[in-house]
């Protein structure tokens, strides 16, 4: 009860198309090698182009990420600049509020603010201090309202480092020495105002 002899090739893999063509005599060994090389080249080219497509897609993603990162950095820089500006404004406001010198007098002191002549009323001592450069006039901003107030020169210099536009008037230190001053013999009248 043994099975009849069957061909054993039913378990074998079917021959490739090239092998079948060779057996039938339609192509020879040389032509088969050429076809195999051509097939390998096509597969290799297909793999390369697939990689190129994948790489291009990856490059587009990387470019998009870079643009996003660049935009985020720009936004962060702008936010930081705004935060610094607000911090400087708060520092200036605090310096002014903590160091205001009360204007107490009826003497008119004139100064230029944005090419407009303005006046404040101070004492004669404060006029002398403004003239000598120990006091300065700064703009105190409260919303849309602006006041001109007196602060010590040391505070004015600190404010000037943060924002020079806040300083409205500060006396220039006289660089001419008293020996070389051509007007040293002339006295300035006490009641001189302009």
């Amino acid at each position: 009860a043994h099975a009849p002899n069957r061909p054993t090739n039913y378990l074998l893999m079917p021959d490739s198309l090239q092998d079948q063509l060779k057996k039938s005599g339609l192509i020879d060994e040389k032509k088969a090698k050429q076809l195999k090389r051509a097939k390998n080249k096509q597969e290799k080219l297909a793999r390369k182009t697939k990689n190129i497509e994948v790489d291009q897609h990856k490059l587009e993603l990387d470019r998009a990420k870079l643009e996003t990162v660049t935009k985020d950095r720009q936004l962060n820089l702008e936010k930081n600049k705004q935060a610094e500006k607000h911090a400087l404004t708060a520092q200036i406001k605090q310096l002014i509020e903590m160091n205001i010198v009360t204007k107490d007098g009826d003497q008119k002191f004139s100064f230029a603010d944005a090419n407009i002549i303005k006046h404040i009323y101070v004492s004669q001592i404060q006029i002398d201090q403004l003239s000598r450069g120990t006091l300065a006039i700064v703009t105190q901003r409260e919303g849309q309202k602006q006041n001109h107030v007196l602060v010590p020169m040391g505070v004015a210099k600190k404010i000037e480092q943060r924002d020079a536009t806040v300083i409205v008037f500060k006396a220039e230190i006289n660089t001419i020495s008293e020996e070389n001053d051509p007007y040293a013999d002339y006295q300035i009248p006490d009641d001189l105002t302009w």
Side-chain angles (χ1 to χ4, degrees):
H2 193 290
N5 283 343
R6 291 188 188 167
T8 57
N9 64 356
Y10 70 92
L11 295 175
L12 296 176
M13 298 280 288
D15 290 339
S16 70
L17 180 61
Q18 278 185 351
D19 292 338
Q20 292 173 9
L21 290 173
K22 276 197 268 182
K23 285 181 183 176
S24 66
L26 293 173
I27 62 168
D28 60 352
E29 187 67 31
K30 186 176 179 183
K31 185 70 173 171
K33 285 182 181 180
Q34 286 177 348
L35 289 173
K36 190 172 185 176
R37 273 190 243 125
K39 181 182 173 189
N40 286 341
K41 283 183 182 179
Q42 286 177 345
E43 288 175 355
K44 189 174 183 180
L45 183 62
R47 284 192 305 267
K48 281 186 179 180
T49 56
K50 182 179 177 184
N51 286 341
I52 289 173
E53 289 173 12
V54 170
D55 288 344
Q56 294 227 354
H57 181 66
K58 186 178 177 185
L59 285 174
E60 289 175 16
L61 288 175
D62 289 345
R63 192 174 304 129
K65 284 181 184 177
L66 182 63
E67 288 174 5
T68 304
V69 168
T70 304
K71 286 179 185 177
D72 289 346
R73 282 185 185 158
Q74 187 67 27
L75 287 173
N76 285 340
L77 285 175
E78 290 175 17
K79 286 179 183 178
N80 288 345
K81 285 180 184 177
Q82 287 295 328
E84 286 178 22
K85 185 177 178 182
H86 289 301
L88 286 176
T89 303
Q91 288 175 7
I92 290 169
K93 182 178 179 183
Q94 185 178 16
L95 281 169
I96 292 172
E97 287 174 356
M98 291 177 64
N99 297 289
I100 288 179
V101 175
T102 306
K103 298 179 275 189
D104 59 350
D106 56 356
Q107 298 284 326
K108 183 165 84 169
F109 184 80
S110 301
F111 60 94
D113 181 15
N115 297 326
I116 297 173
I117 301 296
K118 297 198 176 180
H119 313 282
I120 59 172
Y121 290 92
V122 293
S123 69
Q124 185 59 45
I125 294 171
Q126 290 173 332
I127 289 176
D128 292 340
Q129 290 173 334
L130 283 166
S131 298
R132 286 194 317 263
T134 56
L135 287 180
I137 301 173
V138 297
T139 303
Q140 181 183 32
R141 293 185 176 100
E142 295 178 15
Q144 297 296 328
K145 189 178 177 186
Q146 293 183 356
N147 294 325
H148 293 99
V149 296
L150 300 174
V151 295
M153 185 56 75
V155 174
K157 288 179 181 179
K158 289 179 183 179
I159 292 170
E160 188 174 32
Q161 291 172 352
R162 289 160 176 79
D163 185 2
T165 62
V166 176
I167 307 298
V168 178
F169 174 83
K170 70 175 188 172
E172 297 298 321
I173 303 299
N174 191 359
T175 56
I176 300 173
S177 67
E178 292 182 20
E179 302 172 358
N180 299 333
D181 186 3
Y183 300 105
D185 294 335
Y186 298 100
Q187 293 296 321
I188 300 172
D190 291 338
D191 60 347
L192 178 66
T193 58
W194 57 279

